[in-house]
Amino acid sequence: MRLLLVLTLAMACRGEPAAETAADTAPEEQDAVVCPPALGTAKPRTSKPAPLPMDDVLAVNHLQLEATHNSYHLRNDGGPIDWKYGHAPLATQLSTQGVRGLELDTHFNEACGRYEVYHLTRFDEGTTCRVFTDCLQEIRTWSDSNPSHHLLFIQIEPKDSGDEARFLALEKEILSVFPRELVLTPDDVRGAAATLREAVTTRGWPTLGQTRGRVLFYLDRHDAYRDAYTRGKKDLNGRLLFADADETDGFAAVLVRNSPGAAVTALVKQGFVVRTMTDVSIGGSLNNNRTQLEAALASGAQILSTDFPAKVPETAYFVEVGTPSRCNPVTAPADCKNDAL
């Protein structure tokens, strides 16, 4: 590269045309890294949520809501069948498709020191919002316009390794869009209890009234990343995000269990919030296989994740949980009404 540049400059000095430039031979080396603007400061919300009649009775785990899997994903017809699904922009999912749970896969861009959102590098990068904070701002803008919504659940699946610096960077980006008072954290739920698990299985979750207009973030990792975030599977004290867990872990509160059934129902009855999948597979959904959807609805899992939140031409299959959510069939009190959510 340096030799080519020297020869090019020498030819220019002699008045000879340069037949080939560095940009002609190695465009990839010339690509400038374009980083997003510096992080801003989250603005406080000026409007307040309007209370509903059962806000002091119904709790967060009394909900059953629709969520989307890989909520940013654009249909990819150049790969396996599992990539042949696509989602509308996040705000559209929230405003017209009844979605109240979103999933964002994050990748740390070393050159910029910022997080990006997409599925797989090179092979499946189609996304409705590449910059993580742009995705969050889209959610925040919708939330500000609809401040009485019940708690939103945002699933974060980091696709790379993590350490304390990465954890703090992730939380910093979230807090640049959502001020701390709009985020329901593990400490908020734990309160004076010894552990988060003790809190949700004994005292229970905060009420809908306490969490209206707010968001909850949780990590979908069940490996060394999660173990490091929880300080060796110890706790989530001071952390911004919840984390997937085994039911016996002291930090257990939000659990990811992709297969609905009796095991999920048992967890829900103990007081945990559970995320499960409604679709048996992309191929099954395209063939209108509703077996897993029916099992998910009956399981009592609070967060029902799908690749098909709205009708598409290819299949009659799509998921619709409520208006937009419904009273949980396992945990909600008998007098719960969908319009009270």
Side-chain angles (χ1 to χ4, degrees):
M1 180 71 179
R2 182 176 298 173
L3 177 60
L4 179 57
L5 180 59
V6 169
L7 290 173
T8 301
L9 290 172
M11 293 173 70
C13 290
R14 294 197 303 266
E16 297 176 22
E20 191 175 49
T21 67
D24 294 326
T25 59
E28 67 278 6
E29 296 184 30
Q30 295 293 305
D31 289 344
V33 176
V34 179
C35 296
L39 294 176
T41 301
K43 297 179 180 179
R45 177 170 291 165
T46 56
S47 57
K48 293 184 178 181
L52 292 179
M54 300 188 72
D55 270 5
D56 294 333
V57 176
L58 299 177
V60 166
N61 62 316
H62 294 151
L63 296 165
Q64 189 170 67
L65 60 102
E66 182 176 358
T68 47
H69 166 247
N70 292 351
S71 308
Y72 56 84
H73 192 265
L74 295 176
R75 183 184 173 102
N76 183 348
D77 289 317
I81 190 172
D82 286 347
W83 297 351
K84 297 185 188 300
Y85 67 96
H87 291 301
L90 304 181
T92 301
Q93 295 180 49
L94 292 165
S95 61
T96 67
Q97 297 179 358
V99 170
R100 293 296 180 266
L102 298 164
E103 177 185 351
L104 303 174
D105 291 344
T106 59
H107 301 252
F108 191 73
N109 183 324
E110 292 278 3
C112 297
R114 295 283 293 277
Y115 280 95
E116 297 180 333
V117 172
Y118 59 92
H119 189 212
L120 296 175
T121 303
R122 293 183 57 192
F123 301 107
D124 194 27
E125 292 195 32
T127 176
T128 62
C129 53
R130 179 81 178 202
V131 179
F132 180 52
T133 50
D134 287 349
C135 302
L136 296 179
Q137 186 58 59
E138 193 171 349
I139 300 167
R140 171 72 196 272
T141 299
W142 179 87
S143 178
D144 285 345
S145 298
N146 300 271
S148 299
H149 65 77
H150 70 60
L151 185 68
L152 301 180
F153 292 84
I154 313 298
Q155 177 177 331
I156 304 296
E157 184 177 351
K159 291 293 190 178
D160 38 25
S161 60
D163 56 24
E164 192 63 23
R166 293 277 183 91
F167 302 152
L168 294 177
L170 180 67
E171 294 186 352
K172 183 178 180 180
E173 292 199 22
I174 292 173
L175 290 174
S176 75
V177 178
F178 287 95
R180 171 63 181 77
E181 64 268 18
L182 292 183
V183 181
L184 184 68
T185 70
D187 284 347
D188 293 334
V189 176
R190 181 172 57 85
T195 67
L196 192 54
R197 184 187 190 281
E198 177 186 314
V200 300
T201 58
T202 57
R203 184 183 65 245
W205 286 82
T207 65
L208 296 189
Q210 293 169 323
T211 56
R212 285 208 181 277
R214 299 172 72 183
V215 293
L216 179 154
F217 292 89
Y218 64 102
L219 287 175
D220 181 13
R221 289 286 292 264
H222 204 94
D223 55 10
Y225 188 108
R226 185 277 315 271
D227 294 349
Y229 190 73
T230 57
R231 306 178 185 90
K233 299 184 66 176
K234 179 185 177 184
D235 59 50
L236 288 167
N237 296 358
R239 295 298 199 193
L240 196 67
L241 291 80
F242 292 77
D244 184 27
D246 296 320
E247 63 178 288
T248 56
D249 290 330
F251 60 89
V254 180
L255 311 181
V256 178
R257 302 291 186 268
N258 289 329
S259 299
V264 166
T265 303
L267 293 172
V268 167
K269 287 181 176 180
Q270 290 182 65
F272 299 110
V273 164
V274 179
R275 177 267 196 188
T276 197
M277 290 291 296
T278 61
D279 312 340
V280 64
S281 65
I282 296 295
S285 298
L286 292 174
N287 289 319
N288 198 24
N289 184 333
R290 303 178 65 83
T291 304
Q292 186 158 317
L293 169 58
E294 293 169 0
L297 288 165
S299 72
Q302 288 87 355
I303 308 168
L304 307 185
S305 188
T306 180
D307 291 318
F308 296 88
K311 294 180 180 179
V312 295
E314 296 90 342
T315 179
Y317 179 90
F318 75 102
V319 175
E320 189 174 42
V321 173
T323 54
S325 303
R326 71 170 187 166
C327 298
N328 192 293
V330 173
T331 61
D335 58 348
C336 178
K337 305 295 182 184
N338 290 345
D339 58 9
L341 305 179

